[in-house]
Amino acid sequence: MKRLFVLSIISAVLLLGGCLPSIGPEKEEVIQENEEQIEETVMIPDVQLNDDFYKVLTPLKKSATRGLVVSNIYTKYDIQEAEEGLIRLSAQHFDTKNYLFQEGQYIDTATARAWLSRSSTNKEGLNPPEGEGEDEEANPIYLAHIIEQNYLTLTDEKKVRLSGISIGLALNSVYYERGGKETTISDKELEKQGIAMADKIVSRMRAKEGFQDIPIVVGLFKQEKRNAIVPGTYFATAFADKGKSTPSGWKEVNERYVLFPAPADIDNYREINTTFSNFKQDIDEYFPSFVNVIGKGFFKDNRMQSISIDIPIQFFGKSEVIGFTQFLTSHIIKYFPNIDVEVSITSVNGPEALIVKEAGDDEPFVHIYGY
């Protein structure tokens, strides 16, 4: 297993591209033409953590719509997964070895606000018009946010050019009216509305100068309800190849996050839930002074790919932390041999220890903070 010093606070940055600064001066300078057709110098990092991560151009350019995400998406978990999940979908078309990553630069704030509006208040609005009279809010707002990502390639002239765009549509699974009423939106309706909106957005992108031959990936993301502690996931994706005005080949994305311990009768997850419960029981037996053990499993095509486990503790001595971490490490190897695992041990004083194990590895990376 590669030994990487990983801090959970920067995990999102790592996923977005292996954009850690390289050691030494070996950064490749290239030219990029920006939205105003002005050329500027950018850097390509010489370090790529592994084949799952894109290299990110520096200096980092923030998406013009980044400021809208907090008000439009309910939880921090959905904010992170809407971006990370779109990267996974994009990698199916834009491989991480030959493409570079940049946050979206072509859907500006004004355009995003217009597209997110109701059609009754803005002719560009993609959400349905308000009803009339007592049914003023009868039509739910389906589209909550638009995520754009850009994928670039390096030319022989040492210039980077836009070679792919990904668009994520974050859709509401629950619509909250101003009066407090909650309306659950069915998966079928969400898919229908999302596909119709994706067709319009791709058509509008094609109408922009220079975008006729840029491949576009589209993903439909179902965000969770307010106060959810697991993120939603992408449930459908399609691709608009060069010159195509609408995406085609829609296919299901079978991904899901599950919180453990889960209800005993939860479908498809009984075996892993039993494993997690046994793991938790061992901790209860030998170290009764912990607070809780919470696991978040990521499933793809009904198979668990990874699990992150948070364990807040009440230990005070460093020797107790070390002993507890040693105990956990051996049990992680025992109970989760074939999946990726990340365990974060914390106390009121902050992070205490981190355990990271890759699938099939019997030598996890272990770090005791401040030791």
Side-chain angles (χ1 to χ4, degrees):
M1 176 182 179
K2 295 179 181 178
R3 297 292 182 245
L4 297 176
F5 179 76
V6 183
L7 294 177
S8 57
I9 195 171
I10 62 170
S11 59
V13 176
L14 296 181
L15 178 62
L16 277 180
C19 54
L20 292 175
S22 60
I23 300 174
E26 298 86 3
K27 286 185 177 181
E28 184 176 6
E29 292 188 358
V30 295
I31 300 298
Q32 180 183 16
E33 192 175 81
N34 63 22
E35 310 87 89
E36 289 79 29
Q37 310 301 313
I38 300 174
E39 291 187 346
E40 55 189 2
T41 301
V42 293
M43 302 284 190
I44 299 177
D46 62 318
V47 173
Q48 184 169 6
L49 294 184
N50 66 41
D51 291 343
D52 293 332
F53 304 146
Y54 288 96
K55 288 184 178 181
V56 179
L57 291 177
T58 55
L60 181 67
K61 287 186 176 182
K62 296 180 180 180
S63 170
T65 62
R66 176 181 284 192
L68 300 177
V69 69
V70 175
S71 59
N72 293 344
I73 296 186
Y74 296 137
T75 73
K76 63 179 181 180
Y77 307 107
D78 276 345
I79 291 173
Q80 179 173 319
E81 182 60 23
E83 295 180 352
E84 295 180 1
L86 187 59
I87 291 174
R88 289 196 299 273
L89 297 181
S90 302
Q92 299 175 18
H93 301 276
F94 314 130
D95 67 88
T96 59
K97 291 184 178 179
N98 297 316
Y99 286 81
L100 306 165
F101 177 91
Q102 191 171 66
E103 291 191 16
Q105 302 297 308
Y106 300 99
I107 300 177
D108 58 33
T109 303
T111 299
R113 289 187 187 279
W115 291 359
L116 294 171
S117 300
R118 289 186 179 274
S119 58
S120 55
T121 59
N122 190 305
K123 64 179 181 179
E124 295 291 307
L126 296 172
N127 279 301
E130 286 187 336
E132 298 180 355
E134 294 181 357
D135 296 327
E136 182 180 357
E137 294 189 36
N139 295 330
I141 289 178
Y142 298 104
L143 182 61
H145 190 60
I146 300 171
I147 303 100
E148 177 199 355
Q149 295 172 353
N150 299 156
Y151 294 89
L152 304 97
T153 54
L154 182 63
T155 69
D156 294 336
E157 293 78 27
K158 294 295 183 181
K159 294 184 178 182
V160 290
R161 66 182 179 192
L162 180 67
S163 298
I165 293 177
S166 293
I167 303 293
L169 305 185
L171 302 166
N172 291 322
S173 61
V174 177
Y175 172 55
Y176 299 91
E177 297 183 18
R178 286 191 292 267
K181 180 182 177 182
E182 299 181 11
T183 301
T184 299
I185 303 172
S186 70
D187 291 347
K188 183 177 181 180
E189 183 66 18
L190 215 57
E191 181 178 9
K192 174 186 173 182
Q193 295 290 336
I195 290 176
M197 292 174 181
D199 287 347
K200 292 180 181 179
I201 289 177
V202 171
S203 178
R204 292 175 183 180
M205 294 296 291
R206 285 284 182 254
K208 291 175 174 285
E209 184 179 355
F211 287 83
Q212 289 74 26
D213 291 326
I214 304 296
I216 301 176
V217 173
V218 180
L220 305 183
F221 180 86
K222 176 183 175 181
Q223 74 162 323
E224 285 289 340
K225 61 177 63 176
R226 292 175 179 172
N227 303 318
I229 57 177
V230 293
T233 52
Y234 282 89
F235 63 90
T237 185
F239 184 68
D241 209 345
K242 297 179 180 180
K244 301 295 184 181
S245 60
T246 56
S248 60
W250 284 96
K251 61 181 181 180
E252 179 186 4
V253 179
N254 187 0
E255 296 182 349
R256 183 179 180 184
Y257 285 90
V258 177
L259 195 68
F260 293 104
D265 59 347
I266 189 168
D267 294 337
N268 302 322
Y269 309 110
R270 289 189 179 90
E271 183 177 350
I272 186 61
N273 193 44
T274 299
T275 298
F276 187 87
S277 297
N278 291 337
F279 170 73
K280 184 176 182 296
Q281 185 176 340
D282 281 357
I283 298 175
D284 291 343
E285 182 177 352
Y286 291 100
F287 290 89
S289 57
F290 76 97
V291 175
N292 206 348
V293 179
I294 300 294
K296 184 175 68 176
F298 173 63
F299 289 78
K300 184 176 179 63
D301 296 327
N302 298 322
R303 181 179 179 275
M304 189 159 76
Q305 306 292 311
S306 63
I307 186 169
S308 60
I309 302 173
D310 294 320
I311 306 179
I313 60 175
Q314 297 177 342
F315 300 157
F316 297 100
K318 184 62 68 174
S319 61
E320 286 183 295
V321 172
I322 293 172
F324 184 57
T325 303
Q326 290 171 336
F327 172 86
L328 279 178
T329 302
S330 64
H331 279 65
I332 288 167
I333 296 170
K334 172 185 175 182
Y335 283 106
F336 308 106
N338 298 315
I339 59 173
D340 295 335
V341 184
E342 179 177 309
V343 181
S344 178
I345 305 168
T346 59
S347 72
V348 292
N349 298 319
E352 296 287 355
L354 177 70
I355 306 169
V356 179
K357 188 190 78 67
E358 292 183 356
D361 196 345
D362 58 0
E363 294 184 14
F365 168 81
V366 180
H367 178 71
I368 308 293
Y369 291 92
Y371 184 79

